[in-house]
Amino acid sequence: MSTLATVPPAARLILITVDTDRVIELRRLVARACGNRLSFLRMQPIEHASRMQVWLRVREPGVQRVIDAVTRALPAAQLGRVVPA
């Protein structure tokens, strides 16, 4: 067996900021886009709770799927940094 076969897929931490009234839609979108590749989701209210920061830990290839889904369905969402997790 190859050593590469035992290496888990790379994971990334994605920061997304959305209006609070779109958080449930974002959660559904992420679940559909990456399914079990999502291993962590954290939300924090900001700007007097009118917006939420959402951190996602997603394994590849789910990262690009999440980004594509969010930019299509939630154009007002702000995509932040995508960094190794």
Side-chain angles (χ1 to χ4, degrees):
M1 178 178 264
S2 167
T3 310
L4 293 177
T6 60
V7 175
R12 302 283 183 254
L13 193 62
I14 306 170
L15 172 62
I16 303 172
T17 304
V18 295
D19 293 334
T20 54
D21 60 345
R22 305 305 293 265
V23 169
I24 292 177
E25 184 178 355
L26 175 65
R27 289 182 69 180
R28 288 182 185 144
L29 233 140
V30 168
R32 279 194 304 263
C34 65
N36 65 354
R37 290 180 181 93
L38 175 67
S39 61
F40 175 85
L41 184 142
R42 177 179 180 250
M43 293 185 279
Q44 177 179 342
I46 58 171
E47 297 174 13
H48 303 290
S50 65
R51 299 187 46 83
M52 295 284 269
Q53 283 188 326
V54 180
W55 288 268
L56 308 169
R57 184 177 187 270
V58 180
R59 289 188 323 270
E60 294 290 356
V63 173
Q64 192 59 51
R65 291 178 186 171
V66 167
I67 292 170
D68 292 344
V70 169
T71 55
R72 273 194 307 268
L74 300 170
Q78 295 176 338
L79 291 168
R81 293 179 287 162
V82 178
V83 295

